[in-house]
Amino acid sequence: GGTVLLPSMLMFGVILASSGLLLMIEKGILAEVKPPPLHPAAGELPRRGGGGEEAPGDLDYEVLRDIRNRTIRAVCGQRAMPRSVWELPAGQRRTVLRHLLVSDKYRFLYCYVPKVACSNWKRILKVLDGALESVDVKLKMDHKSDLVFLGDMKPDEISYRLKNYYKFIFVRNPMERLLSAYRNKFGEIKEYQQRYGVEIVRRYRKNGGNSAGDDVTFSEFLRYLLDEEVERMNEHWMPIYNLCQPCAVRYDFIGSYERLNADANYVLERVQSPSFIRFPERQSWYKPMTAETLRYYLCNTQRRLIKELLPKYILDFFLFGYPLPNITSEFCRQ
C-alpha cells in the first residue's frame, strides 16, 4: 500500500508549494481528491513500546507516518519555503516563538496549538518545572504564568535551543479543531462572545445589532474566518502551519489528537520525564467531538463557504495527512 500512496502524496506536496494550488481549488479539482487518513481506526492503535517511535510491527501507522513526513519534506524543500525562524517575516516569527514552550530541565520545545489538548501539556510543563504539584490538581489553567516561552529569550539562546532541544507538536483535523473552537468560545466563554461574537453577528446578520454574541451560527463564524487575514487570526482558529511553522522549525515528533494518549506517553518517555508523570485523563465534564457532530455541522453549512475556506487551511490538511471534508450530497443524505 505504501508504494502506491507515497508518490501521490509527494505530488500533493509539490502542488501545495506551487502557484497552481488556488487554481485547482477554484476549478474544484482538489475537492475530489482525498488523501489517505493518517490515523488507524480506534481498535487498531499500537501500544507504546520501548524502542522506536512506535511499537514494532505496526506497519499501517509506520506507512502513514512516512507519507506525512515525506509530504512535509517535499513542501518544505521548495525554494520559497523558510528554512529557519530567522527567515520568517517578523510577525510570523513572533507568532511561532510565542507558541514554543521551553523546558530547559528536560531539554525540549513544545509548540502549543489551542484546541489540541494544549492545556494538559501546559499542566505537564508546570509539574516538570515544580510549579504544580500534580497534573490532576483541580485549578483553572493559567496559560501564561509559570511557563517559559522561547520568544522571551535572546536570539542566541533561541538558536541554541532550536538546534539542540527535542521539538514536538500535536495536530488535529482542521475542521474538527475549528468546530471545537466555535462551540467552546461562542457557546461557553463570555469574553469571546463579547469580543468576537457581537461583531460577527453585527457584520453578517441583518438586524443583528442587539445580539449578545452568544448566538453566532457556524456559518457566520466561517464567513468571519473567510474575511480574516490568517496572520491576524486569534490563536484558537489560526492554522496550525502559521502557529508552529513546521518548515522553519524541524520538529522531531508530530503527535496527533486522534492518538493523544499513545503519542503523549511516547513523548514523555522520550524526554525522560519522571515515571509518575502521565498524560492527564479527560475531565469528566468534557464532551468529546464525535464524527456525527462534525458531519451534522458540515452538512448543514453552505458548501460554498467550506470550499472557499479550504485555501486558508489547506496546508494543515495535507502536511499532517488529513482528508478534505466530505460534503457531497450523497454523504450528507446518509
Side-chain angles (χ1 to χ4, degrees), residues 6-17 38 53 61 63-83 167-171 240-241 244-255 314-322:
L6 288 174
S8 65
M9 289 303 290
L10 287 170
M11 180 191 73
F12 280 129
V14 174
I15 292 171
L16 286 174
L38 176 59
E53 285 202 0
Y61 185 74
V63 169
L64 293 171
R65 188 169 51 113
D66 193 44
I67 291 170
R68 177 176 61 191
N69 291 340
R70 286 172 182 255
T71 305
I72 291 174
R73 284 199 297 270
V75 174
C76 296
Q78 301 299 306
R79 186 176 299 175
M81 303 303 273
R83 299 294 198 279
K167 299 172 287 295
F168 68 93
I169 60 173
F170 273 70
V171 299
I240 297 172
Y241 179 87
C244 294
Q245 295 289 343
C247 288
V249 178
R250 290 195 170 190
Y251 292 98
D252 299 289
F253 185 77
I254 299 176
I314 200 71
L315 283 172
D316 284 5
F317 281 105
F318 284 106
L319 286 185
F320 306 127
Y322 289 103

Side-chain angles (χ1 to χ4, degrees), residues 16 21-22 25 172-175 177-178 181 221-222 224-226 228-230 233-243 305-320 322-325:
L16 286 174
L21 173 62
L22 293 180
I25 292 173
R172 186 178 187 179
N173 180 297
M175 290 307 299
R177 177 173 170 252
L178 282 183
F221 176 55
L222 296 190
Y224 167 72
L225 295 180
L226 273 173
E228 277 285 278
E229 290 182 36
V230 167
M233 284 183 175
N234 180 280
E235 63 176 8
H236 288 85
W237 43 81
M238 182 182 283
I240 297 172
Y241 179 87
N242 297 79
L243 288 173
L305 278 178
I306 296 171
K307 287 184 177 180
E308 289 180 2
L309 192 63
L310 281 181
K312 287 190 173 180
Y313 294 90
I314 200 71
L315 283 172
D316 284 5
F317 281 105
F318 284 106
L319 286 185
F320 306 127
Y322 289 103
L324 294 175

Side-chain angles (χ1 to χ4, degrees), residues 26-38:
E26 214 171 86
K27 292 183 175 180
I29 297 172
L30 272 183
E32 304 302 319
V33 180
K34 295 181 181 63
L38 176 59

Side-chain angles (χ1 to χ4, degrees), residues 47-287:
R47 297 181 183 275
R48 180 156 60 96
E53 285 202 0
E54 296 301 328
D58 184 20
L59 184 59
D60 287 347
Y61 185 74
E62 296 255 346
V63 169
L64 293 171
R65 188 169 51 113
D66 193 44
I67 291 170
R68 177 176 61 191
N69 291 340
R70 286 172 182 255
T71 305
I72 291 174
R73 284 199 297 270
V75 174
C76 296
Q78 301 299 306
R79 186 176 299 175
M81 303 303 273
R83 299 294 198 279
S84 77
V85 296
W86 308 115
E87 293 183 16
L88 294 169
Q92 293 180 21
R93 183 165 60 248
R94 274 195 303 273
T95 295
V96 65
L97 293 180
R98 211 165 45 218
H99 284 82
L100 281 163
L101 291 167
V102 182
S103 173
D104 281 327
K105 185 176 181 180
Y106 291 91
R107 296 176 65 85
F108 70 76
L109 302 177
Y110 159 59
C111 187
Y112 80 87
V113 178
K115 309 312 298 179
V116 191
C118 73
S119 295
N120 280 341
W121 272 112
K122 288 175 181 177
R123 284 179 185 273
I124 287 175
L125 264 85
K126 292 186 180 193
V127 173
L128 289 174
D129 199 43
L132 197 63
E133 183 180 332
S134 164
V135 294
D136 297 319
V137 172
K138 298 292 188 287
L139 289 174
K140 184 179 179 183
M141 170 56 62
D142 186 326
H143 290 268
K144 297 295 180 185
S145 68
D146 300 317
L147 293 168
V148 180
F149 296 84
L150 194 61
D152 293 333
M153 296 183 171
K154 297 175 182 176
D156 60 331
E157 296 173 328
I158 292 171
S159 293
Y160 175 81
R161 286 162 177 78
L162 284 170
K163 181 179 180 181
N164 295 288
Y165 281 19
Y166 184 74
K167 299 172 287 295
F168 68 93
I169 60 173
F170 273 70
V171 299
R172 186 178 187 179
N173 180 297
M175 290 307 299
E176 187 179 300
R177 177 173 170 252
L178 282 183
L179 180 55
S180 177
Y182 161 75
R183 296 209 307 169
N184 173 237
K185 299 308 175 188
F186 298 110
E188 303 171 11
I189 312 297
K190 182 154 288 214
E191 176 193 346
Y192 276 77
Q193 294 167 359
Q194 294 173 344
R195 183 176 177 184
Y196 295 98
V198 170
E199 171 61 21
I200 290 173
V201 173
R202 185 195 64 77
R203 195 189 297 183
Y204 300 109
R205 189 186 305 172
K206 285 185 179 180
N207 305 317
N210 296 323
S211 170
D214 58 353
D215 59 344
V216 177
T217 67
F218 190 54
S219 292
E220 289 168 340
F221 176 55
L222 296 190
R223 289 181 67 185
Y224 167 72
L225 295 180
L226 273 173
D227 291 339
E228 277 285 278
E229 290 182 36
V230 167
E231 291 176 23
R232 294 178 179 271
M233 284 183 175
N234 180 280
E235 63 176 8
H236 288 85
W237 43 81
M238 182 182 283
I240 297 172
Y241 179 87
N242 297 79
L243 288 173
C244 294
Q245 295 289 343
C247 288
V249 178
R250 290 195 170 190
Y251 292 98
D252 299 289
F253 185 77
I254 299 176
S256 56
Y257 189 81
E258 295 78 7
R259 296 173 40 88
L260 186 56
N261 286 327
D263 284 355
N265 285 330
Y266 166 74
V267 170
L268 289 173
E269 186 176 282
R270 177 64 178 73
V271 300
Q272 299 182 332
S273 71
S275 58
F276 69 86
I277 294 181
R278 53 176 174 70
F279 198 75
E281 297 292 331
R282 275 192 179 131
Q283 301 289 338
S284 57
W285 49 262
Y286 180 77
K287 295 179 181 178

